[in-house]
Amino acid sequence: MPSGDYDPEATERKWQERWVDENTYDYDDAAVDGDTVFSIDSPPPTVSGSLHWGHVYGFTLQDFVARFERMRGENVFFPFGYDDNGIASERLTEGELDIQHQDYERREFQQLCREVCAEYESEFTEKMQALGISIDWDHTYRTIEPRVQRASQLSFIELYEQGREYRQRAPAIWCPECETAISQVETEDDEQPSHFHDLEFEVTDSEDSFIISTTRPELLPACVAVFVHPDDDDNQHLVGEEATIPLFGQSVPIIADDRVDMETGSGIVMCCTFGDQNDIEWYQAHDLDLRIAIDESGTLTEEADEYAGLDRDEAREAIVSDLDDAGYLLDRRAITHVVNVHERCGTSVEFLVTEQWYIKLLDKTDEYLEAGRQMEWFPEKMFTRYKNWIEGLQWDWSISRQRSSGIPFPVWYCAECDHEVIADKENLPVDPLSDDPPVDACSECGHDEFVAEDDVFDTWATSSLTPLINAGWDWDAESEEYGMEHPEIYPFDVRPQGHDIISFWLFHTVVKCYEHTGEVPFDSVMINGMVLDENRVKMSKSLGNIVSPDEVLEKYPVDAARYWAAGSAVGDDLPYNEKGIVAGEKLLRKLWNASKLVDSLTPDERLDQPDLKAIDRWLLAEMDDTIRFVTEKLEAREFSKARDHLRSFFWHTFCDDYLEIAKERDDESAAYTLQTAHRRFLKLFAPFLAHITEELWRELYDETSIHNTDWPEPLGLDADHEAGETAMAVVGALRKYKSDAQLSLNAAIDTVEVYGNVAGFEADIQRVMHVDSLTMLDEEPEIESVVTGIDLDYSVVGPEYGSQVPEIEAGLEADEYELGDDSLSVAGIELDSEMFEVDRERRYTGEGEMLEADDAIVIVQN
RNA sequence: GGGCUCGUGGUCUAGUUGGUUAUGACGCGGCCUUUACAAGGCUGAGGUCGGUGGUUCGAAUCCGCCCGAGCCCA
């Protein structure tokens, strides 16, 4: 029996442990029918440290859905994945063990990663369980585990066999210090001192010359074009000519392009392969030559003639000095500018042409867009981001990464003819660095030596397979077909995720799964916003505004935080708000206390439905409306609307109105209604307040978990809603009367007369307000009414009279109107009764005091 | 710089198709010990809807521009 104050700390921990021990959220592995399975595919969180608010918020929203669908009879598949196959985990390992990945053999380093990650994973597990998320902990995966490596390599092979992958030499961002390609997200801006060099370029076969300012004269040997802005009138005459590069002598075209920054230097710019991102764009847009002057280690190549072999800094000094001697250097001045550096070592990056694997995207963007359209989006507006992303795609997807930790490409190349040798599907996963290729000799040239591909997949190439990993997608060597261990969960019912990863994670997942199965992997996508700080600014270390979930959850119940998380429109950003959590805590207290009262007013055994009194029918019928509303809003993932309506109905209608009356009664009808309503409230609150509802349910009603009970259906009782509303308004008016008269609420009132429809509620009003004598009036009491104004119904008057409305308003304002029986004459216009309402002040002229309660009139004599 | 989103009383929010006095909660003031809850109940004050210009009889709601915030992309 609930007694005393609610103790969330002990209660929440108890249920979190029991839910795990009792496998409360087990997916029924014997399930075969996709229609009764509700499957969730969450993007696995990166294993790189601690839990943040984004996790709490995102997973809590998913949990609302999981619990709601489970109670509606769905067999819920809610797995959990740990993403430990990323650069983040690699760094975590290096940091924890104070090592460098280059110093280890790949499998060795990966083993260390797994050991370090295991600790963080178990910490993550504990925290997720401490949030009460209803995950089935028997269904988990790690993105680096062999099963996932196998799926990733299978995916590569199938797409390769479909002809959707190709290998090409293309520019990549390169760190000359670490000697690896890196992704753009691994670079950062750094402000560094440098020099602008004004160099004189000669126009080929002409006396003409012009000036280019550059910070990187060492790139002159790589120069392949010179660009002028189309609006640059002063230099327009150069377009179409060729320029001769100082010292190196090659002739390059002079081209007009609006990507030139006219404000910097002379407004004329050289394009080198490659100095920056712009050079890459120009190289591709204008089909320019490729001149590689800097190699993997930042050393100049043969293209640089006599400077070959110098590193880029030495080369710069040497070239500048020679330019000066030859008279090409007109000026040299110190500046500071922002350069792209590798975030880890601070070395400025180069753009290098390397062999990379690509997945084709551009040829099928229409299909991928249509796939996105087939999913239901919560909220709908987020589809636009997906759409814009696809429509703006300009590159295929490069999936090669030159890193130590990651899933290897299952590929070898013939040492003689470079022919690609792909691993056998049944042998996956393989690591070409330590495993042998599946053939003894090249099928093309017969050569018997092979070079292992030492690149690994982009982590998104794996992360984009989570639906297939969850469904147990694999290749069956016997039937020679791809299949799934759990086909009933695919496509997934919902993909929950933040709006920050729509363009790459969601998009790549749709593409991959669509290509592998021919089906869109998700029926719906539920997008959550970002958690901001209390001032709506994002939390970041540099701003020092981070609030950790750990410290908050030490102070407040998890259910209170869940209540806060439910306070947002899906897709909107949510500010962290301690007051919102406090409000949740208050609701828990209210629910606990009301439950104690209900318990004291009802017998232990479940009652059969007796003949119900009017007020009981009314409460249960009102509750039906709430059930319909909450169900509808949860279906639409409008959590805050469901939460707020439910809270308001529970607090005000049930506790303030109904319970106050019911606690004065002692009859079967009241007891049945209290029990029924209370059971239903617990169920309706269960998806939100998972712990306290479980505690109350098991204490009061049943041995088994509330989370595995059925979601309530409307009872469909007939009730006089209007009389109930009016009766509650009468009680409210009498409370206000007592409050105004500074009477205590249980003070007696001599006589109350009511004019209005409160049929069936008379005894309830009388009892709860301690009225000695309550009588109903058949006729309106002696009332004098004074017209105080006319209210127009603009939705009727507006369309009808349009621009005449101001005249009508002016007439009413000036009291220049005539009121008929059901018409109004003003400004020469006759208005029908449905176009206006007369505002009256009613004055009671009899004995006692008149109160107005909605449509009812209440006369009090005391 | 581009795309998308958000901006409502001190704080967090409701306000689908434009219609009169803009919803609720937290906080604040006043009153009230009622058979759970004073961390409760009743009640009151507080906003003209980021700014600005427009469309309209009428705009928080539609359109333009500007400002601030968030995400992604450059």
Side-chain angles (χ1 to χ4, degrees), chain A residues 287-302:
Chain A
D287 197 22
L288 300 170
D289 290 343
L290 186 63
R291 294 174 69 98
I292 304 297
I294 295 179
D295 74 3
E296 290 85 344
S297 61
T299 307
L300 270 73
T301 66
E302 297 302 319

mmCIF file of all heavy atoms in Angstrom, chain A residues 287-302:
data_model
loop_
_atom_site.group_PDB
_atom_site.id
_atom_site.type_symbol
_atom_site.label_atom_id
_atom_site.label_comp_id
_atom_site.label_asym_id
_atom_site.label_seq_id
_atom_site.Cartn_x
_atom_site.Cartn_y
_atom_site.Cartn_z
ATOM 1 N N ASP A 287 37.995 21.260 -66.169
ATOM 2 C CA ASP A 287 38.741 20.139 -66.736
ATOM 3 C C ASP A 287 40.220 20.485 -66.937
ATOM 4 O O ASP A 287 40.771 20.357 -68.031
ATOM 5 C CB ASP A 287 38.092 19.722 -68.075
ATOM 6 C CG ASP A 287 38.552 18.340 -68.490
ATOM 7 O OD1 ASP A 287 38.985 17.574 -67.606
ATOM 8 O OD2 ASP A 287 38.492 18.033 -69.700
ATOM 9 N N LEU A 288 40.839 20.935 -65.876
ATOM 10 C CA LEU A 288 42.227 21.411 -65.957
ATOM 11 C C LEU A 288 43.224 20.259 -65.874
ATOM 12 O O LEU A 288 42.869 19.134 -65.533
ATOM 13 C CB LEU A 288 42.482 22.404 -64.810
ATOM 14 C CG LEU A 288 41.584 23.643 -64.822
ATOM 15 C CD1 LEU A 288 41.754 24.434 -63.530
ATOM 16 C CD2 LEU A 288 41.885 24.513 -66.037
ATOM 17 N N ASP A 289 44.466 20.568 -66.179
ATOM 18 C CA ASP A 289 45.533 19.572 -66.034
ATOM 19 C C ASP A 289 45.768 19.289 -64.552
ATOM 20 O O ASP A 289 45.382 20.075 -63.697
ATOM 21 C CB ASP A 289 46.860 20.126 -66.596
ATOM 22 C CG ASP A 289 46.799 20.245 -68.107
ATOM 23 O OD1 ASP A 289 45.885 19.615 -68.699
ATOM 24 O OD2 ASP A 289 47.631 20.974 -68.667
ATOM 25 N N LEU A 290 46.445 18.167 -64.318
ATOM 26 C CA LEU A 290 46.820 17.825 -62.955
ATOM 27 C C LEU A 290 48.341 17.902 -62.863
ATOM 28 O O LEU A 290 49.045 17.267 -63.629
ATOM 29 C CB LEU A 290 46.328 16.404 -62.647
ATOM 30 C CG LEU A 290 46.506 15.900 -61.228
ATOM 31 C CD1 LEU A 290 45.709 16.750 -60.253
ATOM 32 C CD2 LEU A 290 46.057 14.448 -61.144
ATOM 33 N N ARG A 291 48.833 18.734 -61.961
ATOM 34 C CA ARG A 291 50.285 18.810 -61.746
ATOM 35 C C ARG A 291 50.541 18.651 -60.251
ATOM 36 O O ARG A 291 50.276 19.561 -59.467
ATOM 37 C CB ARG A 291 50.854 20.153 -62.210
ATOM 38 C CG ARG A 291 50.760 20.381 -63.719
ATOM 39 C CD ARG A 291 51.206 21.789 -64.061
ATOM 40 N NE ARG A 291 52.642 21.958 -63.834
ATOM 41 C CZ ARG A 291 53.550 21.881 -64.800
ATOM 42 N NH1 ARG A 291 53.185 21.636 -66.038
ATOM 43 N NH2 ARG A 291 54.827 22.046 -64.513
ATOM 44 N N ILE A 292 51.024 17.461 -59.875
ATOM 45 C CA ILE A 292 51.237 17.171 -58.460
ATOM 46 C C ILE A 292 52.655 17.595 -58.093
ATOM 47 O O ILE A 292 53.621 16.976 -58.522
ATOM 48 C CB ILE A 292 51.065 15.662 -58.169
ATOM 49 C CG1 ILE A 292 49.703 15.176 -58.638
ATOM 50 C CG2 ILE A 292 51.265 15.406 -56.666
ATOM 51 C CD1 ILE A 292 48.534 15.799 -57.933
ATOM 52 N N ALA A 293 52.753 18.642 -57.298
ATOM 53 C CA ALA A 293 54.071 19.152 -56.954
ATOM 54 C C ALA A 293 54.467 18.827 -55.521
ATOM 55 O O ALA A 293 55.593 19.046 -55.118
ATOM 56 C CB ALA A 293 54.114 20.662 -57.174
ATOM 57 N N ILE A 294 53.480 18.356 -54.716
ATOM 58 C CA ILE A 294 53.782 18.026 -53.321
ATOM 59 C C ILE A 294 53.305 16.606 -53.050
ATOM 60 O O ILE A 294 52.180 16.257 -53.411
ATOM 61 C CB ILE A 294 53.085 19.017 -52.370
ATOM 62 C CG1 ILE A 294 53.661 20.427 -52.578
ATOM 63 C CG2 ILE A 294 53.228 18.585 -50.913
ATOM 64 C CD1 ILE A 294 53.049 21.494 -51.723
ATOM 65 N N ASP A 295 54.143 15.791 -52.415
ATOM 66 C CA ASP A 295 53.759 14.391 -52.203
ATOM 67 C C ASP A 295 53.204 14.150 -50.812
ATOM 68 O O ASP A 295 52.965 15.089 -50.052
ATOM 69 C CB ASP A 295 54.945 13.462 -52.525
ATOM 70 C CG ASP A 295 56.022 13.509 -51.432
ATOM 71 O OD1 ASP A 295 55.820 14.215 -50.417
ATOM 72 O OD2 ASP A 295 57.057 12.846 -51.601
ATOM 73 N N GLU A 296 53.026 12.848 -50.477
ATOM 74 C CA GLU A 296 52.372 12.449 -49.226
ATOM 75 C C GLU A 296 53.042 13.004 -47.974
ATOM 76 O O GLU A 296 52.395 13.189 -46.952
ATOM 77 C CB GLU A 296 52.344 10.907 -49.104
ATOM 78 C CG GLU A 296 51.428 10.204 -50.056
ATOM 79 C CD GLU A 296 52.058 9.928 -51.422
ATOM 80 O OE1 GLU A 296 53.106 10.558 -51.737
ATOM 81 O OE2 GLU A 296 51.524 9.118 -52.174
ATOM 82 N N SER A 297 54.366 13.230 -48.067
ATOM 83 C CA SER A 297 55.052 13.674 -46.855
ATOM 84 C C SER A 297 55.286 15.184 -46.867
ATOM 85 O O SER A 297 55.995 15.707 -46.017
ATOM 86 C CB SER A 297 56.385 12.941 -46.730
ATOM 87 O OG SER A 297 57.195 13.254 -47.860
ATOM 88 N N GLY A 298 54.709 15.872 -47.861
ATOM 89 C CA GLY A 298 54.878 17.314 -47.921
ATOM 90 C C GLY A 298 56.184 17.708 -48.595
ATOM 91 O O GLY A 298 56.691 18.811 -48.420
ATOM 92 N N THR A 299 56.725 16.801 -49.383
ATOM 93 C CA THR A 299 57.986 17.043 -50.099
ATOM 94 C C THR A 299 57.692 17.355 -51.564
ATOM 95 O O THR A 299 56.784 16.774 -52.152
ATOM 96 C CB THR A 299 58.874 15.786 -50.025
ATOM 97 O OG1 THR A 299 59.006 15.415 -48.654
ATOM 98 C CG2 THR A 299 60.242 16.033 -50.634
ATOM 99 N N LEU A 300 58.483 18.271 -52.161
ATOM 100 C CA LEU A 300 58.210 18.619 -53.557
ATOM 101 C C LEU A 300 58.637 17.504 -54.513
ATOM 102 O O LEU A 300 59.637 16.822 -54.276
ATOM 103 C CB LEU A 300 58.876 19.961 -53.917
ATOM 104 C CG LEU A 300 57.918 21.136 -53.626
ATOM 105 C CD1 LEU A 300 57.777 21.373 -52.144
ATOM 106 C CD2 LEU A 300 58.301 22.380 -54.387
ATOM 107 N N THR A 301 57.872 17.339 -55.573
ATOM 108 C CA THR A 301 58.089 16.244 -56.524
ATOM 109 C C THR A 301 58.900 16.717 -57.723
ATOM 110 O O THR A 301 59.321 17.877 -57.786
ATOM 111 C CB THR A 301 56.752 15.720 -57.063
ATOM 112 O OG1 THR A 301 56.156 16.764 -57.851
ATOM 113 C CG2 THR A 301 55.803 15.348 -55.930
ATOM 114 N N GLU A 302 59.062 15.805 -58.694
ATOM 115 C CA GLU A 302 59.807 16.109 -59.917
ATOM 116 C C GLU A 302 59.216 17.284 -60.674
ATOM 117 O O GLU A 302 59.913 17.980 -61.411
ATOM 118 C CB GLU A 302 59.843 14.871 -60.831
ATOM 119 C CG GLU A 302 60.580 13.683 -60.218
ATOM 120 C CD GLU A 302 62.026 14.036 -59.858
ATOM 121 O OE1 GLU A 302 62.681 14.741 -60.648
ATOM 122 O OE2 GLU A 302 62.482 13.636 -58.764
#
